[in-house]
Amino acid sequence: MNVISVDGLSKSYGKGTTQVNALHDVTFSINQGELVAVVGASGSGKSTLLHMLGGLDKPSGGYVHIDGENLYELKEKERAVFRRRKIGFIFQSYNLIPVLNVEENIQLPLLLDHRQPDKAYIQDLIQTLGLQERRKHLPSELSGGQQQRVAIGRALAYRPAIVLADEPTGNLDSRNGQEVIELLKLAVRQYHQTVVVITHDMNVAAEASRVLTLQDGRLLSDTSSNGRGV
Ligand code: ADP
Ligand code: ADP
């Protein structure tokens, strides 16, 4: 079953002489449990695509279906709830809440949704993230690598069907970067989550089961990789 289906997706910003066509007639679909890398030069439309997949910004044309739901037919509020339940975001900036500790930051999406966290899973997640010694610490007391891991924990806490990540290893050294890759692979392998990750990092792209390449807002290629995958 296609968990993500994108059909004729276009997005332009601005009007007239300053109009930018950030995405042009992009079509693809992604199955559950795929780890997909999105690559391409700066300005090729990667972030715009991720925002469209996540319901963060309206397309100018075309459709995005997530789990069979036409994302942009949902009312704004419905889309926000749908997004919180189905999609975990990992941004390059960690967007952690400074007054909440590690554990609270990770559980935030559940708390916002008035849902009881699955304690054993959260415990497990914190362990896997290597944050058990830091669970009561504030973000300001963590290294960059640790903060990124908290952001990943928050994205995974709901066990969302889909994880969207924008350069999750961009600010990390290679050791922390490798750990992040392992966590994303674990999400796919253990929980059958679907991961779409924008990356400039060839190590990340090499781990993906599939690579989408954008060029000037168009889908230049869509390759299933050489079986290395996850
Ligand atoms: P990438 O993530 O591959 O670097 P983006 O999706 O950020 O590419 O940008 C694609 C194009 O759209 C670029 O030309 C960029 O300048 C333009 N763009 C992105 N966001 C906006 C915006 N909010 N307003 C105007 N232009 C934008
Ligand atoms: P990493 O390899 O994850 O980037 P560092 O080498 O930066 O970690 O940090 C080593 C240790 O020092 C970590 O356990 C981290 O928790 C601690 N640490 C780093 N920065 C701070 C800080 N600003 N306040 C408190 N502890 C910190």
Side-chain angles (χ1 to χ4, degrees), residues 18 37 49 69 71 73 96 158 190:
T18 59
L49 177 62
E69 191 79 53
L71 200 53
E73 250 181 17
L96 302 178
Y158 225 114
Q190 197 160 356

Side-chain angles (χ1 to χ4, degrees), residues 3 19 25 50 73 99 107 147-148 180 192 203 212 221:
V3 67
Q19 181 169 318
D25 197 16
L50 209 71
E73 250 181 17
V99 297
Q107 296 183 48
Q147 289 180 47
Q148 179 63 303
V180 167
H192 309 291
N203 294 322
L212 302 178
S221 70

Side-chain angles (χ1 to χ4, degrees), residues 10 23 32 40 43 55 75 79 93 108 121 137 160 195 205 207 213 225:
S10 300
L23 284 180
Q32 187 184 355
K75 295 196 187 76
R79 192 158 65 240
S93 56
L108 189 62
Y121 173 69
H137 286 67
V195 178
E207 299 283 358
T213 307
S225 80

Side-chain angles (χ1 to χ4, degrees), residues 4-21:
I4 299 175
S5 164
V6 171
D7 195 3
L9 189 67
S10 300
K11 175 68 178 179
S12 48
Y13 296 106
K15 286 196 176 112
T17 52
T18 59
Q19 181 169 318
V20 175
N21 295 317

Side-chain angles (χ1 to χ4, degrees), residues 3-228:
V3 67
I4 299 175
S5 164
V6 171
D7 195 3
L9 189 67
S10 300
K11 175 68 178 179
S12 48
Y13 296 106
K15 286 196 176 112
T17 52
T18 59
Q19 181 169 318
V20 175
N21 295 317
L23 284 180
H24 188 81
D25 197 16
V26 171
T27 298
F28 62 87
S29 53
I30 295 176
N31 290 319
Q32 187 184 355
E34 286 195 85
L35 173 52
V36 179
V38 178
V39 306
S42 175
S44 59
K46 303 183 296 296
S47 295
T48 300
L49 177 62
L50 209 71
H51 287 165
M52 304 281 124
L53 294 183
L56 295 178
D57 195 7
K58 291 207 163 176
S60 310
Y63 302 94
V64 176
H65 285 85
I66 303 287
D67 259 356
E69 191 79 53
N70 185 339
L71 200 53
Y72 293 95
E73 250 181 17
L74 294 174
K75 295 196 187 76
E76 195 101 22
K77 265 193 184 156
E78 295 169 341
R79 192 158 65 240
V81 172
F82 184 81
R83 186 165 61 214
R84 197 152 67 218
R85 293 185 180 160
K86 292 273 183 183
I87 303 170
F89 284 98
I90 305 168
F91 296 104
Q92 201 166 358
S93 56
Y94 313 127
N95 299 323
L96 302 178
I97 310 292
V99 297
L100 299 183
N101 69 30
V102 164
E103 205 168 54
E104 292 161 344
N105 263 289
I106 288 176
Q107 296 183 48
L108 189 62
L110 295 155
L111 301 176
L112 287 173
D113 217 22
H114 307 292
R115 231 186 60 171
Q116 274 307 317
D118 173 345
K119 284 211 168 68
Y121 173 69
I122 297 289
Q123 183 64 39
D124 216 32
L125 186 59
I126 289 175
Q127 185 88 26
T128 307
L129 291 163
L131 291 169
Q132 62 280 11
E133 309 275 289
R134 289 285 180 271
R135 51 194 307 148
K136 301 296 177 193
H137 286 67
L138 296 175
S140 60
E141 299 167 330
L142 304 175
S143 71
Q146 291 169 331
Q147 289 180 47
Q148 179 63 303
R149 279 178 270 153
V150 177
I152 291 170
R154 186 187 47 196
L156 298 180
Y158 225 114
R159 259 177 285 178
I162 299 167
V163 177
L164 303 176
D166 194 346
E167 289 278 0
T169 63
N171 296 325
L172 303 180
D173 61 26
S174 63
R175 180 174 57 84
N176 279 311
Q178 193 56 43
E179 282 178 15
V180 167
I181 298 169
E182 294 305 324
L183 284 166
L184 295 177
K185 285 167 68 177
L186 191 70
V188 170
R189 205 168 43 220
Q190 197 160 356
Y191 299 109
H192 309 291
Q193 285 159 302
T194 304
V195 178
V196 182
V197 54
I198 293 180
T199 189
H200 283 113
D201 183 340
M202 283 308 124
N203 294 322
V204 177
E207 299 283 358
S209 52
R210 187 168 161 199
V211 179
L212 302 178
T213 307
L214 290 179
Q215 187 181 57
D216 298 329
R218 290 169 194 270
L219 188 59
L220 182 69
S221 70
D222 176 354
T223 39
S224 288
S225 80
N226 39 33
R228 286 171 74 191

